[in-house]
Amino acid sequence: DAGREPADSTPRVEVQPSSGAIAAELGLDPGSAVVIRHQQRFIDGTPWSLQTSCYPMHIVEQGAVQLIQAVGIDRGTVSYLRETLGIKQAGYRDVISVRAPNEVEASFFRLPGDGRVAVIETRRTAFDSSGTPFRLTISVYPADRNQFAINVGKVPSSIADPGT
């Protein structure tokens, strides 16, 4: 709406054994196979965020094969999984933290290497209607160009989306 141009990189996809933290958030045994999809995101050509989403491999084995293809899923993975496997996102949990960037993040976002510009990390675990986690998305944003507004419940549109 603001006339800005968003863009995403082609996903980099890998299958890895899950680490302790990823396994715990997805309710898997440590070392269970997970599909990991990495993307770089831009606004007007400026690096804006890094996104990594992790899915249990059993979801691919049940038929969600696009998750292991290095292509964007234009309708989004939540819609794709609902349409393909009937997995409906019933809720999610976000954990938000602020920390110094690592070397990869500082380079991508063109931040000073001394950590004086922080990054914001969100970890969103998505759950189906039975309470089973099926996706963990970790997004990293540089704090010098991002602002978050969280609206819950009935918020007037003029406040919730002041650009309208």
Side-chain angles (χ1 to χ4, degrees), residues 72-113:
I73 301 174
D74 291 336
R75 63 191 180 275
T77 59
V78 172
S79 293
Y80 170 69
L81 292 173
R82 184 179 60 247
E83 294 164 7
T84 304
L85 300 178
I87 297 173
K88 296 177 184 169
Q89 179 173 295
Y92 59 84
R93 176 179 185 256
D94 283 350
V95 176
I96 302 170
S97 59
V98 177
R99 60 174 174 76
N102 63 33
E103 287 182 31
V104 170
E105 295 160 347
S107 175
F108 176 70
F109 295 125
R110 301 179 195 122
L111 300 176

Side-chain angles (χ1 to χ4, degrees), residues 3-110:
R4 311 226 27 219
E5 187 65 36
D8 296 328
S9 67
T10 299
R12 181 172 52 87
V13 179
E14 50 188 311
V15 177
Q16 295 285 330
S18 59
S19 68
I22 291 172
E25 291 196 54
L26 289 174
L28 303 171
D29 293 328
S32 298
V34 291
V35 175
I36 304 171
R37 296 173 57 89
H38 305 275
Q39 278 192 287
Q40 298 173 331
R41 305 172 100 188
F42 304 85
I43 295 179
D44 295 335
T46 299
W48 215 261
S49 68
L50 294 169
Q51 181 172 287
T52 298
S53 292
C54 307
Y55 304 87
M57 186 64 176
H58 67 81
I59 291 177
V60 173
E61 293 164 349
Q62 292 171 1
V65 295
Q66 276 192 326
L67 291 178
I68 60 171
Q69 298 171 354
V71 296
I73 301 174
D74 291 336
R75 63 191 180 275
T77 59
V78 172
S79 293
Y80 170 69
L81 292 173
R82 184 179 60 247
E83 294 164 7
T84 304
L85 300 178
I87 297 173
K88 296 177 184 169
Q89 179 173 295
Y92 59 84
R93 176 179 185 256
D94 283 350
V95 176
I96 302 170
S97 59
V98 177
R99 60 174 174 76
N102 63 33
E103 287 182 31
V104 170
E105 295 160 347
S107 175
F108 176 70
F109 295 125
R110 301 179 195 122

